Amino acid sequence: MIHVNGDAMEWKEGLTVREVLVRRNFRFPLLIITVDGELVQPKAYETTTIPDAADVQVVHMMSGG
Amino acid sequence: MSQFVFDPTKVMDIDFTQRTQYLEGLEAIKAAHKVLKEIAFTPSLPDKGYTNRTLYVNVGTLEVKEKPVTQQMKDVFIGGRGFGLWHLWNAVKPTTRWNDPENEIIISPGPVAGITQYAGTGKSLVVSLSPQTDIPIDSNVGGYFGPLLKFSGFDALEIQGKSDRDLIVFIDGQKGIIRIEEAPEEPVDSHVLAEVLTHMYAENEADRVNISVVCTGAAAEHSLIGMLNFSWWDLRRGCIRLKQAGRGGIGTVFRNKRIRALVCRGPQVKGDLNHVADYETIAKTGVKYHKEIRENDPHQCMMRRNGTAHIVEIMDAYDLLPTHNFQYGSHPDTHKIDSQYWQSRCTQQTVDGCWYGCSMACAKGADGLEVKTGPYKGHTVTVDGPEYENAAGLGSNCGVFDPDYLLELNFYCDTYGICTITYGTLTAFVMECYQRGILNKERTGGLEMNWGNAEADLEMMHQMARGEGFGLIAGQGVKKMKEHFIKHGWGDPQLINDIGMENKGLEYSQYMSKESLAQQGGYALTNKGPQHDEAWLIFMDMVNKQIPTFEDKAEALYYFPLFRTWFGLNGFCKLPWNDVVPSDNAKQPEAHKIPEHVQNYVDIFSATTGIKIDKDELIVQSARVYNFQRIFNIRMGKGLRKDDHAPFRALGPVTTEEYLSRQERYDKQIADEMGLDPTAMSLEEKMAAHRKWRQGRYEQLTDAVYKRRGWTPNGVPTLERLKELGLDVFPEVVDVVKLHL
Amino acid sequence: MRQLRIDLSKCDAGRATCQHECESSCAEKVFKLNDPAMAALHIRELADGSGQAVLCDQCGDCVVVCPTEALSRNKLGVVVIDKKVCVGCYMCMGFCEKEIFERNPQWTEPYKCISCGICVKACPHAALEMVDVPQPPYRIL
Ligand code: SF4
Ligand code: SF4
Ligand code: SF4
Ligand code: SF4
């Protein structure tokens, strides 16, 4: 079990940042993602795996008109 | 994939130089002009961003005079919206209404406006007493008018009075002439009028870029929701383009004064006309920003390809796209109007900035539109590629997912001179009333206002332009429609009030605030009414959960409205602040504020005016004007707590359908947040519990925000706050506050 | 389209046998500026001793982004700037991937290589040449 922006999400071995984005349907392009406080760069979304019990923050930058 | 990829091979093959022309009658139209007044003035260029003069024109008495811009005005109000509010304050009484001759329209570009090196620096701020809200409205608009006005010699244009015949006010900044002309034969609608006037007042082809026209259209005369178009000459397309000062009905005031158009002919623009204090800093900051756009925009928002429409599918994915009058947040047909479609429909091989130097270039244009209805049926026109607000407001919120109709609605809103956001929200309200039997075919005079019926929608707009039928009623806006429907006993008053999306008389813009408490405040705890340009906090609040407590939300509702007010004091556009971010932004403290861009703004202001500020002083500058505007509202009889209430549709589910569409979320809230057992409750009980809980939270938020802003629980700025901001030097301002303490 | 090319195996990159005549001649003769750093081409020496050239290949990207049509191709296909209509927005500077444009604090208009060939003549090692190549297609930027 991990937490994504405070909400619980099921964990599996090898879960990547990209999979979290897909599962939550987070399609917005301007994101700041940290896994246990460590920043993940956009190029590493596919390759960064998330450990169990991690705290994932997907901060969406502001948008809107 | 997280985002659509731009595919140049999919761009439709449309000739962007072809369209219907309207120049045939030009000579006759011109011959009918009669000069009512002509005076000479000495053109001057700004010094460190200011020309230090305001131009006052009374279209009733034909008085034309120059007024000095005082040091105090610059210190307290900076420029732009600040100047507009100050002039308006001095012009009106608490009893003045929009259609009184003393009401003014003030256009002011702000000290930074007119530099050409940074993106989004050509804005004009327009201020007037609104026919919809009876308080000041302010609108931030592109096009070349503001910069050209300043380069002619004026920091602001103040228009007062009421004419008994149709007029054009012409400011010639090359020759030093101001002329008021009677204009009896002018075409009415903007896409024709701006084209004709650009050709009429330009002395030759090369001069067209130096002309900007402010005008409106037929519907502004018969409704309260009129808007103003600001033009510029699009060199590559060889046509005029329009940007809109949309909200609050300023176009209605304009026509009520019988002004047909304002035309400014400025000097040829060069890189240093603003005579800034430190050109090097501005040049370096500009080049750095252009590079950032080149490198990052293609994989961030793709503003250069989509404009703001890039968030249509994003809003849909997050259940935030207003659908069927803000009932739902997504729709299966959204893909028909998403950015992938618009980037193939909009012309891509041209330059789409609404002022020089805008590398963000969001003013996309859709060329080659064949108009299917109305007076321009059969014409080929260029229309703005829909901004997000238009795609959502005219589109999903009314259930219109046919992109050609959407473009046509957008075209007619623009040329008829009505606000697309307002029109979208009021039509969505009409359609929901039709769906719920509050309206029917008889009451609408035959218009079948079903969701997605674009033809009926367009016919209602044509009626508005002709001043007839149900279009006349709709053109009064949501607030007056609610009163009308209730007075006629057409439906349950509470339902009508709950679903009519307005606050202070202004229609909501196109975001769903239901599930974001902070955004509920971002809409209704505003000065002019619910427009997202004060604060857009939905992601921060609802998706990121960055601002969990009332105090956190209040802090965001303190900072962002002030930060964004500042753009309007200076003539900046808001988009370049946050629709691209520097590559290393994520590593910065307070990354969500985009610190590097904030520093760019601080540097550009300092480099323009020679007055060194920092990011905290920036907020103080805004706070002066923001609080002044609040007090202005109070002076006009609004701006207290009672005026900051929101319709329930903005706070939560009004109807059972809405509740059921998000039942899981709502039931969970009943259990987790309210400590009740949803399984033991009927649907009605659950809805009642939500209403009570949500309204209670909104009141708590209001308390927290007022406190943070230095206001009393009734929403009045305190005397201490006035002192802190230096507004206590104006006795009249203090007097207004004292009455309410 | 006339394009300036360099053969880096011939270019001395300024080590001992040349004075960067290419840059000084460009700055002085073409732009009347007494500073080789202000030239429209740059030859830099890298740490490993090899050379790096910053040359305009007349790709035309800057033409695409210029809002005033101040930038256009002349008869030879060379991208030239019309200072009379330039508004000094520097979008060309920001969008040129090769970072060719120079700015002189005295002018608000930037300037760029005009493929005139003066540098070609000035180079003592004949490292530079003018070639005629097909014009690349217009890019959407
Ligand atoms: S191109 Fe010629 S002049 Fe220029 S640095 Fe190389 S060798 Fe020297
Ligand atoms: S200056 Fe840059 S963008 Fe312009 S043609 Fe040369 S290389 Fe291309
Ligand atoms: S600086 Fe001049 S040449 Fe360069 S893009 Fe701007 S207007 Fe065009
Ligand atoms: S071709 Fe002319 S303008 Fe270009 S770098 Fe050489 S000397 Fe300078």
Side-chain angles (χ1 to χ4, degrees):
Chain A
M1 186 76 77
I2 61 167
H3 282 89
V4 179
N5 289 355
D7 302 330
M9 183 188 275
E10 225 168 292
W11 178 82
K12 65 167 189 191
E13 190 66 49
L15 179 72
T16 65
V17 168
R18 173 66 68 203
E19 284 170 280
V20 169
L21 296 183
V22 171
R23 270 206 232 167
R24 287 292 301 265
N25 203 13
F26 283 163
R27 291 177 48 174
F28 188 58
L30 299 182
L31 300 174
I32 299 176
I33 303 182
T34 56
V35 176
D36 289 328
E38 288 289 318
L39 193 63
V40 184
Q41 294 292 345
K43 2 182 215 314
Y45 290 171
E46 272 77 18
T47 52
T48 306
T49 54
I50 296 169
D52 196 6
D55 177 33
V56 181
Q57 293 288 335
V58 183
V59 172
H60 292 57
M61 298 294 290
M62 234 160 279
S63 190
Chain B
M1 249 331 277
S2 65
Q3 207 193 357
F4 297 133
V5 178
F6 173 63
D7 179 355
T9 63
K10 296 241 167 72
V11 179
M12 295 176 193
D13 187 18
I14 294 168
D15 183 349
F16 64 83
T17 63
Q18 290 304 312
R19 65 190 57 77
T20 306
Q21 287 228 332
Y22 301 98
L23 298 172
E24 225 164 77
L26 193 149
E27 287 310 320
I29 296 167
K30 190 175 173 183
H33 281 203
K34 199 170 115 201
V35 176
L36 300 177
K37 173 118 181 188
E38 179 170 304
I39 68 153
F41 76 101
T42 316
S44 69
L45 287 169
D47 174 34
K48 301 193 189 73
Y50 291 102
T51 64
N52 300 313
R53 288 189 287 179
T54 292
L55 175 62
Y56 172 91
V57 176
N58 189 310
V59 294
T61 62
L62 304 182
E63 182 188 8
V64 177
K65 66 180 179 199
E66 289 178 17
K67 289 184 179 177
V69 167
T70 62
Q71 192 58 43
Q72 185 186 52
M73 271 171 76
K74 293 195 273 186
D75 292 345
V76 179
F77 298 101
I78 310 295
R81 172 171 154 194
F83 282 6
L85 288 165
W86 175 240
H87 284 307
L88 189 64
W89 175 284
N90 292 314
V92 302
K93 301 190 289 287
T95 50
T96 305
R97 287 298 169 256
W98 69 277
N99 49 2
D100 289 325
E102 65 258 32
N103 187 18
E104 293 194 337
I105 296 171
I106 302 108
I107 300 174
S108 174
V112 173
I115 66 165
T116 56
Q117 292 78 25
Y118 198 79
T121 53
K123 296 288 189 168
S124 302
L125 280 293
V126 194
V127 174
S128 188
L129 279 186
S130 159
Q132 293 193 270
T133 64
D134 296 328
I135 53 177
I137 186 85
D138 58 273
S139 209
N140 179 324
V141 57
Y144 290 4
F145 192 86
L148 294 180
L149 174 74
K150 196 160 83 170
F151 297 153
S152 297
F154 302 106
D155 291 332
L157 169 62
E158 207 186 332
I159 294 181
Q160 202 176 31
K162 257 169 106 159
S163 168
D164 56 2
R165 62 200 77 184
D166 290 334
L167 298 180
I168 288 174
V169 179
F170 175 50
I171 300 159
D172 189 337
Q174 290 186 29
K175 294 200 174 134
I177 289 168
I178 294 157
R179 207 158 57 221
I180 304 177
E181 300 173 16
E182 186 178 349
E185 311 271 324
E186 249 58 15
V188 172
D189 294 326
S190 279
H191 81 291
V192 183
L193 181 56
E195 175 177 311
V196 167
L197 295 181
T198 299
H199 285 81
M200 191 184 295
Y201 289 95
E203 300 212 329
N204 51 52
E205 205 179 316
D207 198 26
R208 286 178 203 153
V209 289
N210 304 323
I211 303 278
S212 178
V213 178
V214 178
C215 57
T216 180
E221 289 178 31
H222 306 295
S223 74
L224 299 183
I225 65 168
M227 128 304 243
L228 289 180
N229 283 301
F230 281 54
S231 80
W232 81 95
W233 181 253
D234 183 326
L235 264 181
R236 283 184 175 67
R237 285 187 170 88
C239 70
I240 54 102
R241 300 285 308 280
L242 302 170
K243 279 279 141 189
Q244 295 77 32
R247 308 305 321 269
I250 307 178
T252 302
V253 180
F254 195 81
R255 281 307 294 148
N256 186 260
K257 293 187 178 306
R258 298 282 301 268
I259 304 167
R260 209 32 112 189
L262 310 171
V263 183
C264 185
R265 174 166 179 256
Q268 205 224 320
V269 175
K270 299 301 281 178
D272 59 352
L273 293 193
N274 213 24
H275 291 136
V276 297
D278 170 9
Y279 187 81
E280 269 314 293
T281 296
I282 292 181
K284 289 207 179 90
T285 313
V287 174
K288 178 182 74 168
Y289 186 84
H290 297 328
K291 260 164 99 171
E292 184 184 323
I293 291 266
R294 188 230 313 153
E295 285 163 6
N296 294 347
D297 183 56
H299 60 86
Q300 291 183 356
C301 296
M302 292 201 281
M303 294 293 283
R304 291 179 64 86
R305 298 286 78 80
N306 309 324
T308 56
H310 76 95
I311 52 171
V312 171
E313 62 271 18
I314 306 277
M315 289 299 120
D316 188 79
Y318 289 79
D319 207 13
L320 286 167
L321 183 74
T323 304
H324 294 177
N325 194 29
F326 301 90
Q327 293 184 77
Y328 314 110
S330 61
H331 195 281
D333 287 337
T334 300
H335 65 94
K336 294 182 185 162
I337 57 165
D338 65 12
S339 68
Q340 199 161 40
Y341 177 78
W342 297 120
Q343 57 184 233
S344 69
R345 178 66 185 80
C346 290
T347 297
Q348 294 293 0
Q349 68 270 45
T350 181
V351 176
D352 284 316
C354 70
W355 174 241
Y356 300 116
C358 190
S359 40
M360 185 156 264
C362 80
K364 302 306 294 173
D367 294 288
L369 178 74
E370 302 287 337
V371 181
K372 290 192 281 255
T373 71
Y376 304 105
K377 185 174 174 174
H379 292 209
T380 305
V381 297
T382 291
V383 56
D384 272 9
E387 294 177 37
Y388 165 73
E389 294 292 330
N390 307 350
L394 302 171
S396 58
N397 218 359
C398 296
V400 174
F401 293 96
D402 177 317
D404 281 338
Y405 272 127
L406 221 162
L407 285 176
E408 184 154 337
L409 284 159
N410 201 347
F411 163 73
Y412 271 116
C413 274
D414 287 354
T415 201
Y416 281 158
I418 49 178
C419 172
T420 47
I421 297 177
T422 302
Y423 186 83
T425 298
L426 75 80
T427 305
F429 173 65
V430 167
M431 287 180 169
E432 188 174 351
C433 287
Y434 198 85
Q435 173 206 324
R436 297 191 187 281
I438 297 163
L439 290 174
N440 53 40
K441 222 171 143 175
E442 194 189 320
R443 291 172 187 167
T444 62
L447 297 175
E448 292 182 62
M449 297 302 288
N450 298 309
W451 298 117
N453 188 349
E455 281 176 19
D457 188 348
L458 277 162
E459 182 49 30
M460 184 169 90
M461 202 186 299
H462 297 316
Q463 288 182 352
M464 224 177 259
R466 295 193 299 263
E468 62 183 48
F470 187 74
L472 264 181
I473 296 169
Q476 300 298 298
V478 169
K479 183 168 192 281
K480 301 228 159 47
M481 271 197 279
K482 290 199 296 196
E483 289 160 10
H484 185 84
F485 299 171
I486 291 170
K487 192 176 87 201
H488 286 79
W490 287 351
D492 170 15
Q494 179 171 358
L495 178 66
I496 292 174
N497 280 321
D498 280 349
I499 65 175
M501 288 290 279
E502 60 85 20
N503 152 277
K504 302 181 181 70
L506 190 71
E507 287 74 7
Y508 273 68
S509 68
Q510 310 301 332
Y511 295 98
M512 295 278 283
S513 58
K514 257 185 246 187
E515 319 306 348
S516 163
L517 178 58
Q519 188 58 32
Q520 293 163 19
Y523 266 138
L525 304 178
T526 45
N527 270 329
K528 68 170 169 244
Q531 165 77 348
H532 54 279
D533 67 350
E534 276 205 10
W536 197 88
L537 302 173
I538 300 183
F539 280 164
M540 250 184 119
D541 185 34
M542 164 187 153
V543 183
N544 306 337
K545 311 211 172 73
Q546 265 172 300
I547 41 175
T549 67
F550 286 107
E551 284 66 36
D552 295 334
K553 294 181 210 297
E555 184 58 36
L557 284 167
Y558 171 76
Y559 176 81
F560 287 105
L562 294 183
F563 179 65
R564 293 175 68 154
T565 292
W566 192 80
F567 292 131
L569 306 183
N570 284 292
F572 278 116
C573 169
K574 163 259 155 194
L575 300 175
W577 162 54
N578 70 339
D579 278 302
V580 68
V581 300
S583 307
D584 68 348
N585 186 62
K587 298 195 190 110
Q588 308 299 322
E590 298 199 291
H592 61 287
K593 292 181 180 172
I594 316 173
E596 183 177 322
H597 288 178
V598 175
Q599 191 58 43
N600 287 352
Y601 289 117
V602 165
D603 291 344
I604 291 172
F605 179 86
S606 301
T608 299
T609 61
I611 301 162
K612 291 270 169 291
I613 61 162
D614 59 17
K615 63 184 194 327
D616 301 320
E617 177 60 20
L618 179 159
I619 294 298
V620 175
Q621 288 183 336
S622 293
R624 286 191 197 105
V625 176
Y626 193 86
N627 282 276
F628 178 77
Q629 188 168 356
R630 178 78 178 181
I631 297 165
F632 201 159
N633 286 352
I634 298 171
R635 179 178 176 228
M636 300 309 293
K638 270 187 187 169
L640 299 175
R641 188 171 188 127
K642 65 176 171 37
D643 306 303
D644 286 345
H645 284 145
F648 192 66
R649 176 61 58 74
L651 305 185
V654 173
T655 63
T656 51
E657 301 94 286
E658 283 166 272
Y659 193 97
L660 293 174
S661 75
R662 290 178 178 169
Q663 177 151 4
E664 206 183 321
R665 170 197 287 264
Y666 294 148
D667 281 359
K668 195 164 174 294
Q669 284 172 337
I670 289 180
D672 297 353
E673 314 270 348
M674 301 172 223
L676 302 170
D677 176 10
T679 57
M681 296 162 79
S682 71
L683 185 53
E684 284 65 35
E685 284 165 346
K686 290 197 286 190
M687 286 175 61
H690 262 278
R691 187 178 281 263
K692 193 165 155 238
W693 176 65
R694 283 166 183 260
Q695 279 171 340
R697 289 200 321 159
Y698 183 75
E699 293 305 325
Q700 269 176 282
L701 176 75
T702 305
D703 284 334
V705 171
Y706 285 179
K707 190 163 162 231
R708 180 64 188 90
R709 290 181 179 173
W711 298 353
T712 69
N714 196 20
V716 183
T718 60
L719 287 175
E720 295 79 71
R721 185 73 178 129
L722 290 195
K723 271 207 195 79
E724 220 171 82
L725 296 170
L727 288 175
D728 57 336
V729 299
F730 304 110
E732 277 182 75
V733 173
V734 176
D735 286 348
V736 172
V737 167
K738 276 191 179 150
L739 274 179
H740 293 276
L741 291 176
Chain C
M1 161 183 116
R2 246 163 89 102
Q3 188 187 61
L4 178 64
R5 286 259 175 98
I6 190 163
D7 182 347
L8 281 172
S9 67
K10 289 190 193 160
C11 167
D12 187 66
R15 272 153 296 179
T17 57
C18 103
Q19 306 292 319
H20 282 232
E21 286 85 346
C22 55
E23 287 172 288
S24 49
S25 65
C26 175
E28 283 161 27
K29 295 204 179 117
V30 186
F31 300 107
K32 315 281 182 269
L33 296 165
N34 235 341
D35 176 4
M38 290 279 152
L41 85 169
H42 294 291
I43 312 292
R44 296 196 184 108
E45 194 185 351
L46 298 180
D48 65 2
S50 65
Q52 185 205 30
V54 181
L55 306 182
C56 168
D57 60 6
Q58 311 297 345
C59 69
D61 282 1
C62 52
V63 177
V64 175
V65 299
C66 175
T68 61
E69 300 187 321
L71 288 160
S72 61
R73 288 192 189 274
N74 67 12
K75 281 198 286 299
L76 297 170
V78 175
V79 174
V80 292
I81 177 167
D82 177 356
K83 287 182 151 201
K84 283 200 304 298
V85 294
C86 167
V87 294
C89 70
Y90 307 148
M91 290 208 286
C92 51
M93 297 186 76
F95 275 74
C96 170
E97 286 171 1
K98 291 132 228 161
E99 305 197 3
I100 295 303
F101 281 90
E102 284 296 336
R103 217 165 42 77
N104 161 343
Q106 262 70 63
W107 312 328
T108 55
E109 304 87 2
Y111 57 94
K112 67 175 287 297
C113 167
I114 51 170
S115 280
C116 66
I118 285 181
C119 55
V120 175
K121 290 201 202 84
C123 171
H125 296 288
L128 293 163
E129 62 171 337
M130 274 300 163
V131 292
D132 202 27
V133 295
Q135 208 168 292
Y138 191 98
R139 286 217 300 167
I140 289 176
L141 290 170

